[in-house]
Amino acid sequence: MSNSFIEDNDQTRARRERLEAIRSIVGNVYPNKFERSRVTGFEDTITAIIQKFKDGEPQVSEGARPAPEELERINAELNRISVRTSGRIATPPRVMGKAAFVHLSDGVSRLQIYVKKTDVRAVNNDTDTLIDEEGKGWELFNLLDHGDFIGVEGYLFVTRTGELSVHVRELQFLSKALLPMPDKVHGIADPEIRQRQRYADLIAGSLKVEREAGEMTPREIFELRSKVIREMRRFLDEHGYVEVETPMLTPLATGAAAKPFETYHNALGIPLYARIAPELYLKRLLVGGFEKVYELNRNFRNEGIGYRWNPEFTMLEFYCAYMDANGMMDFCEELLQTVLERVTGNRFIFRDAGNFQVSTHFARLSMKQAIAEAWAHNPFSALLGQDVDEEWLDDAFNAHTLAVFLRRASAENSMVDDEESEGLETDAETMEDYWHLAEEEAERALEEAGDAAETQAAQDIVEIFEKLVESSLIQPTFITDFPKPISPLSKASPFDPTVAERFELFIRGMEIANGFSELNDPVEQRERFLEQMRERERGDEEAMVLDEDYIRALSYGMPPAAGIGIGIDRLVMILTGKHTIREVILFPHMRPERKAKESEEREVEEG
RNA sequence: GGGCCGAUAGCUCAGUCGGUAGAGCAACUGGCUUUUAACCAGUGGGUCGCAGGUUCGAGUCCUGCUCGGCUCACCA
């Protein structure tokens, strides 16, 4: 039999040959079902059996063995209990002549089975009956490989070393692993295989013999993710929110600053875009009379891929009528802390505890305050003797100078190797040169900007914030008071017309949430959209697109409201201590897999 | 796209100064009727990512390429 899709080596050959030998004993090697018993009160999965009977194991210290009398007492009880259960063979069989031990896994837990040559009988899968012939059970067992699926029937007992086990009387073959299992000690090291072949990653996590303290298996990461999402829904439902689903394929890509994926609808004959944000649809629902709505689903952005970025990401977005951004910060904090408490049992503890403390309250800081504070602690600050405070930043020339300076300084730093960079940071002269160059550039830029000067200043402040502050916001911090020109869907602050009543939540240096008091004046909204369109014409590909229907909706009247988007993937990164988004997305997007042969063919074609 | 790092047995990795290709696990054969990453004895397994170059001799040095990781720039 040829399996061209399976690499041919000594391991795969042995497995294939044994599959044929198994076939000659049991008939159908891919039977359709295996019924598990219900002695635990539920379906007797391995986890159910472990949970129900594990407590019966005698308590002994590491390496010690339980007393024989105690074993006898426990086993007198357990031996009366028969179970039928099934799973993947999770260890290479430990065969000792005429008996063997092996562990079965259901992906979560593992249960040891004990197979004795004289006690085990095989099931014929064609007739679903026990095979009479002597020795067939043991013969079948010896053809099993690490990774195969089997079903067993037998009675419970505790071994001399004190481990709960099943003494197998019936053995049924259920499915073959034609590929060898990942290394039982090291698991899979190659991140590419782990992410591309998540199934192998999940198997490896369940088969790995030893784990480092605090190490989460992939299974546990994705179960935690599932719980986070479930608890978010529950919290919102409890607070009167209605979950809705709005279009993912949209005629306009708007509601956020991002490049969309484009596709084409044949029947309508129009382009459609994968949504970059559900925002404008959800606010149409506020117009329609929903006072509290949310959507928890995917958004798509046709941009770079990196440790914080996947082309599709999961966002919780919700809106609450009659609330402003300040109320939304309170609610967001309560939401996150409640979800955390329900998922992890702690109010706010991050997984890599080394960097995090328990925070009872999230800090709040205006963007310009945050910049001023960060600058005071920045090595460039002392070097240049330049003070930065909120008033200083209000000057467009100053803001642009600082933005350009940071751009130059960081570009220079990134070009230099860590080892060679000594002296660079302390080189005051170079830094002063950069500063003067930045000042010259700022002067020119201000002249050229003309009526776009306000937008330019806003972009400068944000750029300074991102370069200087963002990565240092480790503890949960709300940054407030965003410049208005870069917040086209947000209301202005009632205290400062140049500032949007908008906030972003940062944790571990990442933006986790973005919310604001929603702009509900259709006249001003239209103006803001038009300003965005002018930005687009100036070359900003990510400026928003005017949505006339949305303006019409606002014209029917939308109540004052606050809205927020919370990045679920990034939140899960923080909760699991993972440093790349690909670890918390089951099937992250990657470059298409190319085998060596194919790439050679490509080269020939292209060459 | 730029910079840095990597690719050796099925898996995880070592390989010194350029001199016959190594270990553990896995596989195979034999032994062992309560093991715990079982153990004991033995066996097989390599296009050292690909293509050139230097050299008497290259896993090792040089050049180009492929694939991957990290990182910087754009982006949530």
Side-chain angles (χ1 to χ4, degrees):
Chain A
M1 184 178 59
S2 77
N3 285 317
S4 58
F5 54 92
I6 293 173
E7 192 187 343
D8 183 59
N9 58 50
D10 59 331
Q11 324 255 319
T12 56
R13 221 171 296 131
R15 282 168 185 264
R16 263 202 321 271
E17 285 164 9
R18 276 193 292 274
L19 179 62
E20 290 318 307
I22 291 167
R23 200 190 301 276
S24 71
I25 295 174
V26 306
N28 178 13
V29 289
Y30 291 103
N32 290 30
K33 67 166 183 176
F34 180 84
E35 268 175 47
R36 298 193 268 208
S37 55
R38 300 181 70 90
V39 303
T40 60
F42 304 94
E43 184 182 9
D44 289 335
T45 62
I46 283 160
T47 300
I49 293 169
I50 292 287
Q51 277 174 354
K52 175 91 173 175
F53 298 107
K54 191 80 176 170
D55 292 345
E57 284 185 357
Q59 299 297 311
V60 285
S61 52
E62 182 75 23
R65 290 187 171 210
E69 316 82 65
E70 199 189 353
L71 276 183
E72 207 171 309
R73 183 177 55 75
I74 293 168
N75 281 330
E77 290 290 315
L78 285 178
N79 289 170
R80 287 204 291 268
I81 303 168
S82 282
V83 294
R84 278 173 66 83
T85 192
S86 54
R88 190 192 280 279
I89 295 176
T91 52
R94 298 186 290 275
V95 182
M96 299 165 298
K98 297 186 177 68
F101 287 97
V102 66
H103 280 87
L104 293 189
S105 165
D106 64 356
V108 177
S109 313
R110 39 175 69 210
L111 173 64
Q112 181 166 262
I113 62 170
Y114 175 68
V115 180
K116 201 169 164 184
K117 182 175 186 179
T118 51
D119 290 354
V120 63
R121 300 178 69 192
V123 174
N124 180 319
N125 286 347
D126 290 336
T127 60
D128 206 23
T129 56
L130 286 175
I131 297 168
D132 288 332
E133 202 181 329
E134 190 91 359
K136 281 293 169 189
W138 186 245
E139 197 183 323
L140 171 60
F141 179 80
N142 279 283
L143 291 165
L144 297 177
D145 282 300
H146 188 196
D148 291 355
F149 283 91
I150 57 169
V152 297
E153 188 278 337
Y155 60 87
L156 297 177
F157 76 110
V158 169
T159 63
R160 277 179 210 160
T161 53
E163 182 170 344
L164 178 70
S165 306
V166 178
H167 188 124
V168 176
R169 286 182 299 222
E170 292 177 19
L171 174 63
Q172 183 167 11
F173 183 79
L174 298 179
S175 184
K176 188 74 190 169
L178 288 173
L179 290 170
M181 291 300 104
D183 188 294
K184 67 181 178 183
V185 180
H186 305 92
I188 302 173
D190 187 343
E192 193 197 348
I193 295 174
R194 296 219 338 269
Q195 288 155 15
R196 224 185 260 290
Q197 305 179 36
R198 187 65 79 191
Y199 40 88
D201 187 29
L202 289 161
I203 294 170
S206 70
L207 299 186
K208 215 169 157 184
V209 179
E210 277 181 2
R211 266 200 269 168
E212 285 168 34
E215 183 186 347
M216 289 179 88
T217 63
R219 168 82 174 229
E220 287 165 342
I221 291 168
F222 292 106
E223 284 184 350
L224 184 141
R225 183 182 167 118
S226 162
K227 279 184 201 156
V228 166
I229 290 172
R230 193 164 66 229
E231 292 303 334
M232 283 186 159
R233 285 207 163 97
R234 184 149 79 99
F235 184 87
L236 291 169
D237 293 345
E238 285 166 358
H239 285 77
Y241 284 78
V242 177
E243 181 170 15
V244 296
E245 291 150 283
T246 63
M248 292 217 183
L249 288 176
T250 58
L252 290 173
T254 190
K259 280 177 252 175
F261 288 95
E262 190 179 344
T263 183
Y264 184 79
H265 192 282
N266 292 332
L268 293 176
I270 55 164
L272 286 175
Y273 303 90
R275 72 165 173 208
I276 55 176
E279 170 144 1
L280 300 191
Y281 284 107
L282 293 174
K283 286 193 283 196
R284 282 170 168 95
L285 296 176
L286 291 178
V287 169
F290 284 92
E291 294 188 352
K292 296 178 175 181
V293 286
Y294 73 95
E295 181 158 11
L296 202 172
N297 217 316
R298 232 68 65 77
N299 292 312
F300 308 86
R301 298 192 184 174
N302 202 348
E303 287 159 352
I305 294 178
Y307 77 102
R308 294 187 270 171
W309 291 280
N310 194 58
E312 54 185 299
F313 63 102
T314 300
M315 189 154 74
L316 166 65
E317 199 160 301
F318 61 92
Y319 292 82
C320 181
Y322 309 113
M323 191 187 254
D324 72 357
N326 297 302
M328 186 52 90
M329 279 191 272
D330 296 338
F331 187 77
C332 170
E333 187 169 339
E334 184 58 28
L335 164 79
L336 290 179
Q337 294 202 343
T338 303
V339 166
L340 243 84
E341 189 173 29
R342 288 175 180 174
V343 170
T344 68
N346 292 306
R347 193 89 177 136
F348 216 82
I349 296 176
F350 295 111
R351 184 149 189 105
D352 35 359
N355 297 326
F356 294 98
Q357 301 152 3
V358 182
S359 286
T360 51
H361 197 62
F362 296 5
R364 295 182 192 190
L365 208 59
S366 83
M367 184 174 276
K368 283 177 182 173
Q369 280 171 350
I371 291 171
E373 272 184 32
W375 177 255
H377 296 100
N378 191 284
F380 296 142
S381 159
L383 222 55
L384 291 160
Q386 177 66 56
D387 285 332
V388 167
D389 59 21
E390 291 174 62
E391 247 173 82
W392 187 89
L393 286 167
D394 284 338
D395 187 295
F397 172 79
N398 291 342
H400 198 73
T401 304
L402 184 52
V404 172
F405 169 78
L406 290 172
R407 211 180 296 159
R408 283 178 184 279
S410 71
E412 182 68 24
N413 267 322
S414 69
M415 281 165 66
V416 180
D417 223 29
D418 281 340
E419 286 162 33
E420 296 170 39
S421 67
E422 303 171 52
L424 184 103
E425 281 168 31
T426 55
D427 188 348
E429 246 173 72
T430 313
M431 290 303 122
E432 271 173 35
D433 287 346
Y434 284 159
W435 189 266
H436 292 311
L437 285 168
E439 282 181 328
E440 285 168 28
E441 198 175 322
E443 220 160 305
R444 279 198 307 275
L446 271 186
E447 278 172 33
E448 285 169 22
D451 50 339
E454 212 182 318
T455 306
Q456 179 65 59
Q459 285 167 349
D460 288 335
I461 293 292
V462 171
E463 183 177 350
I464 294 165
F465 172 79
E466 284 170 358
K467 288 211 162 68
L468 213 53
V469 187
E470 193 170 322
S471 65
S472 67
L473 295 174
I474 305 301
Q475 287 290 323
T477 307
F478 285 113
I479 296 293
T480 61
D481 295 356
F482 278 59
K484 200 169 87 174
I486 56 142
S487 312
L489 301 170
S490 174
K491 261 186 180 161
S493 158
F495 310 106
D496 181 349
T498 69
V499 152
E501 196 165 78
R502 172 181 175 187
F503 65 87
E504 288 188 355
L505 173 64
F506 291 85
I507 309 177
R508 215 179 68 188
M510 285 190 294
E511 183 194 333
I512 299 300
N514 178 9
F516 37 87
S517 300
E518 303 297 334
L519 179 55
N520 59 348
D521 174 351
V523 177
E524 185 182 349
Q525 183 64 77
R526 191 155 200 285
E527 264 316 303
R528 298 272 200 100
F529 272 137
L530 292 174
E531 178 52 40
Q532 288 287 305
M533 298 299 272
R534 285 194 285 276
E535 283 299 311
R536 262 188 113 71
E537 276 164 31
R538 280 194 206 101
D540 183 354
E541 285 181 72
E542 284 157 14
M544 278 185 212
V545 176
L546 170 65
D547 184 339
E548 294 281 10
D549 177 71
Y550 177 63
I551 301 293
R552 178 169 60 194
L554 288 186
S555 305
Y556 278 99
M558 183 178 107
I564 190 171
I566 300 177
I568 302 299
D569 312 280
R570 290 180 177 182
L571 186 65
V572 174
M573 282 170 71
I574 287 163
L575 299 184
T576 55
K578 293 296 160 194
H579 289 84
T580 157
I581 202 166
R582 294 208 282 228
E583 298 272 6
V584 301
I585 292 175
L586 278 168
F587 301 101
H589 284 283
M590 304 181 71
R591 200 169 277 128
E593 195 170 5
R594 266 216 279 160
K595 288 173 188 155
K597 228 185 220 171
E598 288 170 13
S599 64
E600 276 167 30
E601 284 165 15
R602 264 178 77 103
E603 274 168 44
V604 172
E605 281 171 30
E606 286 167 6

